[in-house]
Amino acid sequence: MGFQATPAPTPNLHTVMPDRPSLLGLTPPELREAVAAHFRERGQPAYRAGQVEEWIFRGNARAFGEMSNLPLAEREALGERFRLDEPAADAVSESADGTVKHLWALRGGEVVESVLIPTRDRLTLCISSQAGCALKCRFCATGWSGFGRQLTAAEIAGQYRASARWAAEHGRGRVTNVVFMGMGEPLANRKAVFPALSILNAGYGVGARRITVSTVGVIPGIAALAERPEQFRLALSLHAPVTELRAELIPLEKRYPLPRLMEALEAFNRKGGRRITFEYTMIRDVNDDPGLLPRLAELAARVQAFVNLIPFNPIPYVEWRPSRRRRIRAFREGLEAAGVSVAVREPRGRDIEAACGQLRASRRGSSVARAYAGSPWKSRPSTESGGAPGRQGATKGE
């Protein structure tokens, strides 16, 4: 069938029942069942459900009024029963390197960000799973912004739909990869993230191996993801290979310490076909001591992890700096010598605050400042030697 969108005959299809469910948050089987039941009640033929499913997953319809092969009365009835709304673009920012950041306005007044990252052979979409984040990782602007609420599966899928449409309309091509590395901890919102994974994979056709879920180490979530039949990939925000230092950077380490976390990753790895990536933000004189390198290599080798070395991206109110280039090069060469696959992730979108760790949603700037005001973490002295491995400048301020 051809998808020739026509204007919605009725302008208010989405304002009749504010509490009606959103079809965007349903997996394909759930959507099929819900719409089929609706049409049965109305005495409509069963194939109507398939038509709606086609419009949502293949036609990317924004309104029921666009579903031109359905009778007008059925389009209106769908709008009275269900929602088909996406987050609204509050702002769009484009970096000099082609990275594009969307600020999405959600129902209830919250805002989140997503990022489109183009490379030579792919277009990666980084999406958010929570409005803000409660985990307060020291190197991440989202953590300083505080926690708003969990996103729904519809809001997560809506970011994908709206971003993919924007990319197509602006000549950026097709979204090929999706990473849950935006605002929030995805595995702390499994109720919405897991259905969203199914929606992206089974509904919109994004391959499971092209979808990566990031976590700072929520062990129950890692175990649950491992039980899924699809081979979704996992990225661990490691950032320090020893427990004491990691606990200072990532407070959740105290709840899920590294030895237990590695056991969970080993179990995940045994499932096969599910690549694990270690994300390692390199912060000058905090976690880039050469003495940490053998331990990092050891952990990566245990689970055949790929290591991304990420130069620290500046964030408000945290006076850290990225590691020096020679130190990053030394880490890369040391990992390669140990047989570990590694890459240095070049900063993308820094000029629009879209790089790793910078997402905070601009409306939250004042809350970030308030959060930092009570923090004991201050700027670090720059030292090239001395101190215990991994502890240079990592002590708390006076």
Side-chain angles (χ1 to χ4, degrees):
M1 102 185 197
F3 294 104
Q4 297 297 322
T6 57
T10 306
N12 269 332
L13 288 183
H14 299 304
T15 59
V16 181
M17 294 173 56
D19 58 342
R20 60 213 148 97
S22 173
L23 292 184
L24 300 187
L26 302 181
T27 64
E30 291 170 342
L31 186 146
R32 207 171 300 126
E33 180 180 348
V35 176
H38 165 77
F39 283 125
R40 279 197 303 271
E41 291 174 4
R42 294 183 54 79
Q44 288 292 305
Y47 67 79
R48 294 285 187 220
Q51 289 177 312
V52 173
E53 186 176 359
E54 283 285 313
W55 275 108
I56 290 176
F57 292 127
R58 259 69 68 186
N60 212 13
R62 281 176 282 193
F64 294 111
E66 295 179 6
M67 300 180 181
S68 54
N69 57 350
L70 272 68
L72 172 60
E74 296 310 315
R75 286 179 263 169
E76 293 177 336
L78 282 168
E80 293 170 358
R81 180 74 174 271
F82 304 105
R83 287 188 289 115
L84 193 60
D85 52 349
E86 297 172 358
D90 191 274
V92 183
S93 305
E94 183 165 359
S95 168
D97 62 27
T99 299
V100 176
K101 181 173 73 172
H102 281 87
L103 177 70
W104 301 110
L106 307 179
R107 292 160 66 92
E110 292 288 350
V111 289
V112 297
E113 293 175 327
S114 68
V115 183
L116 286 163
I117 309 166
T119 56
R120 186 180 63 179
D121 58 351
R122 67 179 61 183
L123 179 62
T124 298
L125 172 64
C126 175
I127 58 179
S128 296
S129 56
Q130 297 177 318
C133 185
L135 298 186
K136 300 186 183 302
C137 297
R138 307 302 192 222
F139 48 83
C140 180
T142 308
W144 292 114
S145 72
F147 178 72
R149 65 170 172 83
Q150 305 278 30
L151 298 195
T152 66
E155 289 168 333
I156 295 171
Q159 291 174 68
Y160 170 83
R161 284 169 54 93
S163 296
R165 183 184 300 107
W166 188 95
E169 291 175 351
H170 290 80
R172 307 306 170 87
R174 182 177 62 88
V175 173
T176 59
N177 296 70
V178 177
V179 294
F180 284 74
M181 295 182 183
M183 300 174 66
E185 164 55 61
L187 294 184
N189 186 18
R190 299 192 293 280
K191 182 178 179 181
V193 168
F194 277 22
L197 289 171
S198 297
I199 293 167
L200 295 176
N201 178 230
Y204 296 103
V206 184
R209 292 190 180 188
R210 291 182 175 270
I211 300 175
T212 300
V213 179
S214 176
T215 181
V216 297
V218 179
I219 290 178
I222 294 172
L225 187 63
E227 292 304 313
R228 294 194 55 140
E230 310 96 334
Q231 293 182 334
F232 298 118
R233 294 186 166 184
L234 180 69
L236 173 70
S237 292
L238 181 63
H239 308 302
V242 292
T243 294
E244 184 180 5
L245 175 58
R246 191 169 191 268
E248 294 187 21
L249 298 174
I250 302 173
L252 194 69
E253 170 71 16
K254 298 171 185 175
R255 182 174 180 183
Y256 298 122
L258 198 50
R260 288 180 54 202
L261 180 54
M262 288 304 300
E263 291 175 0
L265 293 178
E266 287 175 324
F268 186 92
N269 191 50
R270 284 195 293 271
K271 293 291 182 176
R274 306 163 188 246
R275 190 176 81 169
I276 297 171
T277 299
F278 284 172
E279 306 289 333
Y280 198 96
T281 296
M282 298 205 65
I283 310 167
R284 187 181 303 186
D285 304 324
V286 174
N287 66 346
D288 62 352
D289 188 286
L292 294 170
L293 185 52
R295 178 62 173 162
L296 174 58
E298 176 192 344
L299 295 183
R302 279 176 60 180
V303 292
Q304 292 81 52
F306 183 92
V307 177
N308 265 329
L309 300 176
I310 308 168
F312 173 72
N313 293 302
I315 62 175
Y317 317 111
V318 176
E319 299 172 7
W320 281 342
R321 290 173 292 173
S323 299
R324 292 177 173 84
R325 289 185 179 274
R326 64 175 179 271
R327 183 60 56 85
I328 297 174
R329 184 171 60 251
F331 263 65
R332 176 179 58 80
E333 292 173 352
L335 289 169
E336 288 175 341
V340 174
S341 297
V342 58
V344 176
R345 184 188 294 172
E346 293 300 321
R348 299 295 303 273
R350 270 187 180 175
D351 54 330
I352 57 170
E353 294 187 329
C356 182
Q358 292 185 318
L359 298 186
R360 59 189 177 108
S362 58
R363 294 181 189 172
R364 295 184 173 273
S366 59
S367 65
V368 175
R370 287 195 299 272
Y372 181 74
S375 169
W377 285 74
K378 307 300 181 184
S379 60
R380 301 322 197 245
S382 176
T383 58
E384 281 295 304
S385 61
R391 302 285 298 171
Q392 296 177 16
T395 56
K396 293 186 178 181
E398 296 297 322

